[in-house]
Amino acid sequence: MLLERCSSAISGLGFHVHGDRTTRVSLRGAKIVPLCTRRQKRLSTRRGSALSNWKCSVSTTQEEARSGCSFWSSEDASGSGVRREDAEADESTREAPLLNALRECAEMDAAAFHFPGHRRGAGAPPMMAALVGKGAFAADLPELPELDNLHAAEGVILEAQCKAARLFGAEQTWFLVNGSTCGIQAAVMAACAPGDYLILPRNVHMSAVSAMVLTGALPKYVTPVPDPTWGVAHGVRAAQVEAAISEVRRAGGRVGAVLVVSPTYFGVCSHIGDLAHVCHSQDIPLIVDEAHGAHFRFHHQLPETALEQGADIAVQSTHKVLSSLTQSAMLHAQGTRIDRARLAQCLPMVQSSSPSYLLLASLDASRAHMEGNCGVDSETGVIQCSDHNLDAALSLASVVRQSLHELPGLAVLDSASMSQDSAGIDPLRITVGLWKLGLTGFEADDILRLEHGVVAELPSLRSVTFAMSAGSSRRDAMRLIDSFAALSARYASEVESCSSVSLPSFGPEPVTTETEPPVWENQVMALSPRDAFYSKSEKVMVQDAVGRVSAELLCPYPPGIPVVTPGEIITQEAVDCISAVLAQGGVVSGASDDSFQFAKVVITNS
């Protein structure tokens, strides 16, 4: 029954059932590539499926792409060569199978004797029901037969993941309900055995550190490109990664994977294609933390995606700029350098066995929303996107950037200020520098939020970062401009006297001059992250922790980039750096003592 339902919902997939329940899915439609209005982006889905027990093989002929993929609607009568226009779109393409199944279950008149205890909203806390409505509770359902099982998908979740893989250009896609964090952890677990080296930049998200604790992998850090003007670290160079691989191998080590972040929290991208070439020439998988780049696929003005440039795995937070619910994400895979069966085994270890179907359905709905403006050219077999979903957001972002550029005392991070080491910047991420006004980002954030009702994504010591999306309105954009105009006017008289202000550096902003090393470059690794985490430890006063081996992660948040990782020796510079964050209103994540009066250190035998 499930196979019949899945087969009817994913037209173009041929199912062959064997006695051992191994099912092969043949996807006709070789090369599925999006053709944006003014630029082609080329992606191939050569082989793909959605979960480990489903092995999809995708043909590679253009003829099959033109004639065999009934997933797309037939060629339109106008003879334009595009198989469908928006008005004539194949509803099977646009539909959200998981969302539809959840809707049907939520609307059932059922005598519910299953979890959760609110019983489809009948026992919902009144205050919560008043906030989100009883409809949210009615759809907060467990793994009913009609809703499939995330960890053994064979029905509507499988359908939804297959549709997502097609749209995002992956061979295989998994839905995540614990954010990009669990995707990074599972990818590292699948690629690295205990004792393997994971090559990564220091400005990774804290999830990469937790992945090393889980796996027993050893870190081999490369220094990300510093930006002394902004006090931030950007991407990494291919030559650095190549040198790190050689160094590990000369010492007799094995490299399990390379992990990079692109784009960064500030929207700056690395040359993923160059990194992929270096990794693949030595048969090493490349994992890209693309949490902030899920939208890159859908507009010609945006940077190329990690998959387009050859990454083996890309982990995306679909909720950040696209429209799924917070905590939902996707993991996309291609190629054979990472064992996908092992990856599928790792995912349940870091995801809940009771996943939220609201989160899962929101991923399906977000995919369908973005796919609504796409069609397939019958001659080339490419996806054609209208760019409509993000046109307005990009136009508003351009207006905001230009307006802020013209205000006294402000700086705006953009492509013109990037070095050739960067592969571009996300135009929807707007970072405003405030050092000429003598303000920290935390101070400016308080003024903007409390006096103007403008809420930023990320305040830091030297800047404030704003994220725009398809949900951004002209009214809000004008409000942002007006609030900065007021801020500039208030502090403009101090611009000259504050132009040489030197603000402290911390975490992801480790550089204030060309010659000053990052605060974490002085860290020394004494134990592996896993050994340090599981060693006997004690809490001591922070000042007494200097010179001791850290048993915990010390990480300014946001954006979650570590200053000290488990196994590193705590330095005075690190203590000063974290103290500066706290003094300016930031927080430190990973520490056992949020106030940072105490630190957990390893007890040594000596």
Side-chain angles (χ1 to χ4, degrees):
M1 180 66 71
L2 286 170
L3 287 176
E4 292 174 0
R5 180 172 59 201
C6 191
S7 180
S8 64
I10 311 182
S11 54
L13 295 185
F15 293 85
H16 307 283
V17 185
H18 303 278
D20 63 356
R21 289 179 53 84
T22 299
T23 304
R24 295 193 65 81
V25 184
S26 175
L27 171 58
R28 297 186 311 244
K31 193 110 167 167
I32 299 181
V33 207
L35 174 62
C36 292
T37 304
R38 288 170 291 275
R39 187 190 79 175
Q40 284 193 3
K41 289 186 174 184
R42 295 215 162 263
L43 281 173
S44 62
T45 50
R46 294 176 294 279
R47 292 183 359 181
S49 155
L51 274 177
S52 61
N53 292 332
W54 294 80
K55 299 178 181 179
C56 300
S57 59
V58 182
S59 303
T60 56
T61 66
Q62 288 294 332
E63 180 61 30
E64 289 188 349
R66 289 194 293 269
S67 62
C69 191
S70 59
F71 180 82
W72 305 98
S73 65
S74 58
E75 186 171 351
D76 72 349
S78 67
S80 66
V82 178
R83 292 197 174 205
R84 55 154 187 161
E85 300 294 340
D86 282 352
E88 299 174 316
D90 181 353
E91 290 304 320
S92 69
T93 300
R94 284 189 171 190
E95 74 173 354
L98 178 55
L99 179 69
N100 291 340
L102 185 61
R103 181 189 299 111
E104 291 174 3
C105 288
E107 293 173 351
M108 287 176 58
D109 182 13
F113 293 95
H114 55 70
F115 300 136
H118 59 67
R119 292 295 184 271
R120 304 190 180 211
M127 290 184 292
M128 190 67 181
L131 176 64
V132 302
K134 286 210 172 177
F137 284 95
D140 182 27
L141 297 172
E143 292 153 309
L144 302 177
E146 296 85 356
L147 296 181
D148 205 2
N149 184 331
L150 177 63
H151 303 306
E154 57 181 5
V156 289
I157 292 178
L158 173 64
E159 298 174 31
Q161 291 181 143
C162 280
K163 287 177 180 286
R166 287 189 175 200
L167 184 65
F168 285 89
E171 293 177 2
Q172 193 163 356
T173 289
W174 286 264
F175 285 179
L176 308 176
V177 293
N178 197 27
S180 286
T181 292
C182 73
I184 295 297
Q185 291 170 338
V188 175
M189 290 169 68
C192 296
D196 284 353
Y197 279 87
L198 177 66
I199 295 176
L200 70 170
R202 185 54 188 241
N203 62 333
V204 291
H205 188 266
M206 56 192 296
S207 60
V209 178
S210 63
M212 290 187 286
V213 171
L214 290 170
T215 61
L218 304 174
K220 175 61 177 176
Y221 290 115
V222 294
T223 301
V225 176
D227 188 328
T229 300
W230 288 85
V232 301
H234 296 316
V236 295
R237 304 179 181 96
Q240 294 176 287
V241 171
E242 189 169 26
I245 294 172
S246 298
E247 186 176 336
V248 169
R249 287 182 168 172
R250 280 197 303 270
R254 178 185 180 275
V255 178
V258 172
L259 168 65
V260 298
V261 180
S262 182
T264 66
Y265 214 130
F266 303 96
V268 179
C269 300
S270 294
H271 290 283
I272 298 300
D274 294 343
L275 294 169
H277 176 74
V278 167
C279 293
H280 296 168
S281 67
Q282 305 192 51
D283 199 29
I284 296 171
L286 174 62
I287 302 168
V288 179
D289 178 349
E290 201 176 21
H292 293 270
H295 57 298
F296 284 1
R297 172 82 166 166
F298 302 107
H299 204 284
H300 73 282
Q301 293 182 16
L302 298 174
E304 287 188 313
T305 70
L307 289 179
E308 286 177 301
Q309 298 178 72
D312 297 277
I313 286 181
V315 183
Q316 300 176 341
S317 291
T318 320
H319 68 89
K320 291 191 184 300
V321 176
L322 298 184
S323 53
S324 66
L325 293 177
T326 296
Q327 200 174 314
S328 61
M330 296 186 193
L331 185 155
H332 306 294
Q334 63 182 1
T336 59
R337 293 179 184 86
I338 290 183
D339 185 341
R340 287 187 233 162
R342 180 174 177 81
L343 179 58
Q345 288 180 315
C346 294
L347 280 167
M349 298 181 185
V350 290
Q351 296 211 85
S352 172
S353 60
S354 301
S356 166
Y357 277 84
L358 288 170
L359 296 183
L360 293 171
S362 77
L363 288 168
D364 195 23
S366 180
R367 185 273 313 157
H369 177 62
M370 298 309 295
E371 192 172 335
N373 293 304
C374 298
V376 172
D377 188 287
S378 62
E379 294 300 321
T380 62
V382 300
I383 296 175
Q384 179 168 314
C385 298
S386 68
D387 292 351
H388 173 72
N389 282 330
L390 294 173
D391 269 341
L394 286 161
S395 177
L396 285 175
S398 178
V399 170
V400 171
R401 283 178 176 278
Q402 183 60 36
S403 299
L404 297 184
H405 262 302
E406 296 171 357
L407 291 175
L410 299 182
V412 180
L413 185 65
D414 56 21
S415 297
S417 59
M418 296 286 98
S419 71
Q420 63 180 4
D421 296 304
S422 298
I425 188 170
D426 179 4
L428 293 179
R429 197 60 52 93
I430 301 174
T431 299
V432 184
L434 300 148
W435 56 87
K436 291 183 179 180
L437 296 182
L439 292 173
T440 68
F442 294 110
E443 292 170 333
D445 182 53
D446 284 342
I447 296 171
L448 295 172
R449 187 180 74 257
L450 299 176
E451 297 184 16
H452 301 277
V454 173
V455 183
E457 167 59 29
L458 172 69
S460 58
L461 284 184
R462 297 175 68 84
S463 62
V464 182
T465 298
F466 302 85
M468 299 191 70
S469 70
S472 300
S473 68
R474 180 174 179 80
R475 175 180 177 273
D476 288 347
M478 295 304 105
R479 195 169 176 180
L480 176 61
I481 294 169
D482 290 343
S483 66
F484 268 108
L487 195 71
S488 174
R490 182 186 303 183
Y491 294 96
S493 61
E494 303 176 30
V495 168
E496 289 298 323
S497 61
C498 294
S499 60
S500 60
V501 168
S502 177
L503 296 174
S505 64
F506 74 99
E509 306 172 317
V511 179
T512 53
T513 72
E514 291 284 2
T515 58
E516 181 181 349
V519 64
W520 33 259
E521 200 164 87
N522 294 324
Q523 306 298 112
V524 175
M525 179 69 67
L527 293 173
S528 74
R530 182 180 178 87
D531 287 345
F533 184 83
Y534 286 109
S535 294
K536 290 184 179 180
S537 61
E538 62 180 343
K539 278 188 177 182
V540 300
M541 295 291 292
V542 165
Q543 289 305 320
D544 295 331
V546 174
R548 301 282 299 272
V549 178
S550 178
E552 61 186 351
L553 181 72
L554 301 177
C555 180
Y557 199 90
I561 296 174
V563 168
V564 178
T565 65
E568 290 183 330
I569 296 176
I570 299 173
T571 64
Q572 185 62 53
E573 292 89 345
V575 170
D576 293 343
C577 165
I578 295 169
S579 299
V581 175
L582 293 172
Q584 298 295 337
V587 297
V588 176
S589 180
S592 55
D593 177 20
D594 294 340
S595 67
F596 198 55
Q597 295 181 5
F598 297 89
K600 184 183 289 187
V601 296
V602 173
I603 298 175
T604 59
N605 294 327
S606 57

mmCIF file of all heavy atoms in Angstrom, residues 202 221 519-527 547-550 563-571:
data_model
loop_
_atom_site.group_PDB
_atom_site.id
_atom_site.type_symbol
_atom_site.label_atom_id
_atom_site.label_comp_id
_atom_site.label_asym_id
_atom_site.label_seq_id
_atom_site.Cartn_x
_atom_site.Cartn_y
_atom_site.Cartn_z
ATOM 1 N N ARG A 202 39.110 27.564 12.098
ATOM 2 C CA ARG A 202 38.817 27.786 13.513
ATOM 3 C C ARG A 202 37.444 28.450 13.703
ATOM 4 O O ARG A 202 36.795 28.262 14.727
ATOM 5 C CB ARG A 202 39.908 28.656 14.145
ATOM 6 C CG ARG A 202 39.741 28.844 15.650
ATOM 7 C CD ARG A 202 39.644 27.494 16.349
ATOM 8 N NE ARG A 202 39.297 27.651 17.740
ATOM 9 C CZ ARG A 202 40.079 27.252 18.733
ATOM 10 N NH1 ARG A 202 41.238 26.679 18.478
ATOM 11 N NH2 ARG A 202 39.710 27.415 19.981
ATOM 12 N N TYR A 221 43.354 22.485 12.469
ATOM 13 C CA TYR A 221 42.794 23.787 12.143
ATOM 14 C C TYR A 221 43.601 24.502 11.058
ATOM 15 O O TYR A 221 44.831 24.412 11.022
ATOM 16 C CB TYR A 221 42.746 24.678 13.388
ATOM 17 C CG TYR A 221 41.731 24.231 14.416
ATOM 18 C CD1 TYR A 221 42.140 23.776 15.672
ATOM 19 C CD2 TYR A 221 40.375 24.274 14.138
ATOM 20 C CE1 TYR A 221 41.215 23.373 16.623
ATOM 21 C CE2 TYR A 221 39.441 23.871 15.089
ATOM 22 C CZ TYR A 221 39.873 23.421 16.325
ATOM 23 O OH TYR A 221 38.952 23.014 17.265
ATOM 24 N N VAL A 519 42.974 35.645 18.564
ATOM 25 C CA VAL A 519 43.073 35.289 19.973
ATOM 26 C C VAL A 519 43.225 33.784 20.149
ATOM 27 O O VAL A 519 43.909 33.310 21.055
ATOM 28 C CB VAL A 519 41.838 35.803 20.749
ATOM 29 C CG1 VAL A 519 40.567 35.140 20.265
ATOM 30 C CG2 VAL A 519 42.010 35.587 22.241
ATOM 31 N N TRP A 520 42.607 32.993 19.234
ATOM 32 C CA TRP A 520 42.678 31.550 19.383
ATOM 33 C C TRP A 520 43.910 30.933 18.734
ATOM 34 O O TRP A 520 44.123 29.734 18.840
ATOM 35 C CB TRP A 520 41.432 30.884 18.811
ATOM 36 C CG TRP A 520 40.836 31.557 17.632
ATOM 37 C CD1 TRP A 520 39.749 32.371 17.624
ATOM 38 C CD2 TRP A 520 41.282 31.495 16.282
ATOM 39 N NE1 TRP A 520 39.484 32.812 16.349
ATOM 40 C CE2 TRP A 520 40.403 32.288 15.506
ATOM 41 C CE3 TRP A 520 42.339 30.840 15.637
ATOM 42 C CZ2 TRP A 520 40.555 32.454 14.138
ATOM 43 C CZ3 TRP A 520 42.491 31.000 14.275
ATOM 44 C CH2 TRP A 520 41.601 31.798 13.542
ATOM 45 N N GLU A 521 44.744 31.731 18.071
ATOM 46 C CA GLU A 521 45.935 31.173 17.442
ATOM 47 C C GLU A 521 46.996 30.817 18.472
ATOM 48 O O GLU A 521 47.929 30.063 18.189
ATOM 49 C CB GLU A 521 46.498 32.142 16.405
ATOM 50 C CG GLU A 521 47.411 31.469 15.398
ATOM 51 C CD GLU A 521 47.655 32.326 14.167
ATOM 52 O OE1 GLU A 521 48.589 33.148 14.205
ATOM 53 O OE2 GLU A 521 46.914 32.182 13.191
ATOM 54 N N ASN A 522 46.861 31.352 19.674
ATOM 55 C CA ASN A 522 47.809 31.024 20.736
ATOM 56 C C ASN A 522 47.402 29.779 21.515
ATOM 57 O O ASN A 522 48.098 29.353 22.425
ATOM 58 C CB ASN A 522 47.927 32.208 21.708
ATOM 59 C CG ASN A 522 48.548 33.427 21.053
ATOM 60 O OD1 ASN A 522 49.439 33.304 20.220
ATOM 61 N ND2 ASN A 522 48.063 34.608 21.413
ATOM 62 N N GLN A 523 46.237 29.190 21.172
ATOM 63 C CA GLN A 523 45.768 28.022 21.900
ATOM 64 C C GLN A 523 46.620 26.798 21.539
ATOM 65 O O GLN A 523 47.013 26.621 20.382
ATOM 66 C CB GLN A 523 44.311 27.732 21.568
ATOM 67 C CG GLN A 523 43.366 28.912 21.781
ATOM 68 C CD GLN A 523 43.326 29.364 23.221
ATOM 69 O OE1 GLN A 523 43.787 30.441 23.541
ATOM 70 N NE2 GLN A 523 42.790 28.533 24.076
ATOM 71 N N VAL A 524 46.861 25.963 22.529
ATOM 72 C CA VAL A 524 47.635 24.739 22.337
ATOM 73 C C VAL A 524 46.746 23.550 22.684
ATOM 74 O O VAL A 524 46.117 23.518 23.747
ATOM 75 C CB VAL A 524 48.898 24.729 23.228
ATOM 76 C CG1 VAL A 524 49.631 23.390 23.109
ATOM 77 C CG2 VAL A 524 49.814 25.886 22.865
ATOM 78 N N MET A 525 46.694 22.562 21.780
ATOM 79 C CA MET A 525 45.888 21.369 22.003
ATOM 80 C C MET A 525 46.685 20.360 22.812
ATOM 81 O O MET A 525 47.722 19.861 22.363
ATOM 82 C CB MET A 525 45.460 20.764 20.662
ATOM 83 C CG MET A 525 44.634 19.500 20.780
ATOM 84 S SD MET A 525 42.979 19.770 21.469
ATOM 85 C CE MET A 525 42.230 20.739 20.155
ATOM 86 N N ALA A 526 46.209 20.049 24.006
ATOM 87 C CA ALA A 526 46.888 19.090 24.873
ATOM 88 C C ALA A 526 46.225 17.722 24.841
ATOM 89 O O ALA A 526 46.890 16.692 25.028
ATOM 90 C CB ALA A 526 46.922 19.609 26.312
ATOM 91 N N LEU A 527 44.912 17.683 24.630
ATOM 92 C CA LEU A 527 44.146 16.451 24.535
ATOM 93 C C LEU A 527 43.174 16.559 23.374
ATOM 94 O O LEU A 527 42.852 17.664 22.925
ATOM 95 C CB LEU A 527 43.341 16.201 25.830
ATOM 96 C CG LEU A 527 44.110 15.906 27.120
ATOM 97 C CD1 LEU A 527 43.140 15.866 28.297
ATOM 98 C CD2 LEU A 527 44.864 14.584 27.017
ATOM 99 N N GLY A 547 46.398 28.334 31.947
ATOM 100 C CA GLY A 547 47.462 27.347 31.930
ATOM 101 C C GLY A 547 46.969 25.921 32.108
ATOM 102 O O GLY A 547 47.750 24.974 31.952
ATOM 103 N N ARG A 548 45.677 25.737 32.436
ATOM 104 C CA ARG A 548 45.104 24.404 32.601
ATOM 105 C C ARG A 548 44.413 23.968 31.306
ATOM 106 O O ARG A 548 44.093 24.779 30.422
ATOM 107 C CB ARG A 548 44.076 24.410 33.748
ATOM 108 C CG ARG A 548 44.621 24.822 35.113
ATOM 109 C CD ARG A 548 45.381 23.713 35.792
ATOM 110 N NE ARG A 548 44.570 22.532 36.045
ATOM 111 C CZ ARG A 548 43.826 22.362 37.155
ATOM 112 N NH1 ARG A 548 43.812 23.299 38.107
ATOM 113 N NH2 ARG A 548 43.139 21.247 37.322
ATOM 114 N N VAL A 549 44.148 22.661 31.186
ATOM 115 C CA VAL A 549 43.478 22.117 30.007
ATOM 116 C C VAL A 549 41.966 22.223 30.186
ATOM 117 O O VAL A 549 41.411 21.733 31.178
ATOM 118 C CB VAL A 549 43.876 20.653 29.774
ATOM 119 C CG1 VAL A 549 43.125 20.070 28.564
ATOM 120 C CG2 VAL A 549 45.379 20.531 29.561
ATOM 121 N N SER A 550 41.318 22.848 29.232
ATOM 122 C CA SER A 550 39.868 23.042 29.319
ATOM 123 C C SER A 550 39.134 21.729 29.105
ATOM 124 O O SER A 550 39.465 20.938 28.224
ATOM 125 C CB SER A 550 39.402 24.059 28.271
ATOM 126 O OG SER A 550 37.992 24.206 28.317
ATOM 127 N N VAL A 563 36.219 30.023 21.231
ATOM 128 C CA VAL A 563 37.490 30.630 21.598
ATOM 129 C C VAL A 563 38.403 29.575 22.218
ATOM 130 O O VAL A 563 39.602 29.542 21.958
ATOM 131 C CB VAL A 563 37.276 31.813 22.567
ATOM 132 C CG1 VAL A 563 38.588 32.260 23.177
ATOM 133 C CG2 VAL A 563 36.620 32.976 21.851
ATOM 134 N N VAL A 564 37.819 28.704 23.032
ATOM 135 C CA VAL A 564 38.550 27.577 23.618
ATOM 136 C C VAL A 564 37.710 26.323 23.398
ATOM 137 O O VAL A 564 36.507 26.329 23.645
ATOM 138 C CB VAL A 564 38.806 27.777 25.124
ATOM 139 C CG1 VAL A 564 39.529 26.559 25.707
ATOM 140 C CG2 VAL A 564 39.618 29.040 25.381
ATOM 141 N N THR A 565 38.348 25.258 22.931
ATOM 142 C CA THR A 565 37.651 23.988 22.758
ATOM 143 C C THR A 565 38.158 22.992 23.787
ATOM 144 O O THR A 565 39.257 23.148 24.330
ATOM 145 C CB THR A 565 37.862 23.419 21.342
ATOM 146 O OG1 THR A 565 39.246 23.104 21.166
ATOM 147 C CG2 THR A 565 37.433 24.420 20.280
ATOM 148 N N PRO A 566 37.375 21.946 24.089
ATOM 149 C CA PRO A 566 37.848 20.935 25.038
ATOM 150 C C PRO A 566 39.188 20.355 24.599
ATOM 151 O O PRO A 566 39.376 19.977 23.450
ATOM 152 C CB PRO A 566 36.738 19.875 24.985
ATOM 153 C CG PRO A 566 35.518 20.610 24.546
ATOM 154 C CD PRO A 566 36.013 21.659 23.594
ATOM 155 N N GLY A 567 40.122 20.311 25.529
ATOM 156 C CA GLY A 567 41.449 19.792 25.227
ATOM 157 C C GLY A 567 42.497 20.861 25.004
ATOM 158 O O GLY A 567 43.692 20.557 24.962
ATOM 159 N N GLU A 568 42.087 22.111 24.860
ATOM 160 C CA GLU A 568 43.046 23.197 24.661
ATOM 161 C C GLU A 568 43.411 23.831 25.994
ATOM 162 O O GLU A 568 42.623 23.849 26.951
ATOM 163 C CB GLU A 568 42.462 24.266 23.732
ATOM 164 C CG GLU A 568 42.342 23.792 22.298
ATOM 165 C CD GLU A 568 41.824 24.883 21.370
ATOM 166 O OE1 GLU A 568 41.059 25.753 21.820
ATOM 167 O OE2 GLU A 568 42.191 24.846 20.178
ATOM 168 N N ILE A 569 44.617 24.375 26.041
ATOM 169 C CA ILE A 569 45.091 25.057 27.250
ATOM 170 C C ILE A 569 44.504 26.467 27.271
ATOM 171 O O ILE A 569 44.574 27.208 26.285
ATOM 172 C CB ILE A 569 46.626 25.100 27.273
ATOM 173 C CG1 ILE A 569 47.186 23.676 27.365
ATOM 174 C CG2 ILE A 569 47.122 25.947 28.448
ATOM 175 C CD1 ILE A 569 48.699 23.596 27.293
ATOM 176 N N ILE A 570 43.902 26.824 28.376
ATOM 177 C CA ILE A 570 43.262 28.138 28.524
ATOM 178 C C ILE A 570 44.340 29.207 28.692
ATOM 179 O O ILE A 570 45.197 29.109 29.570
ATOM 180 C CB ILE A 570 42.315 28.143 29.734
ATOM 181 C CG1 ILE A 570 41.201 27.098 29.536
ATOM 182 C CG2 ILE A 570 41.701 29.529 29.932
ATOM 183 C CD1 ILE A 570 40.312 26.907 30.749
ATOM 184 N N THR A 571 44.289 30.227 27.851
ATOM 185 C CA THR A 571 45.263 31.318 27.902
ATOM 186 C C THR A 571 44.634 32.561 28.521
ATOM 187 O O THR A 571 43.408 32.692 28.594
ATOM 188 C CB THR A 571 45.761 31.662 26.495
ATOM 189 O OG1 THR A 571 44.655 32.144 25.718
ATOM 190 C CG2 THR A 571 46.373 30.445 25.813
#
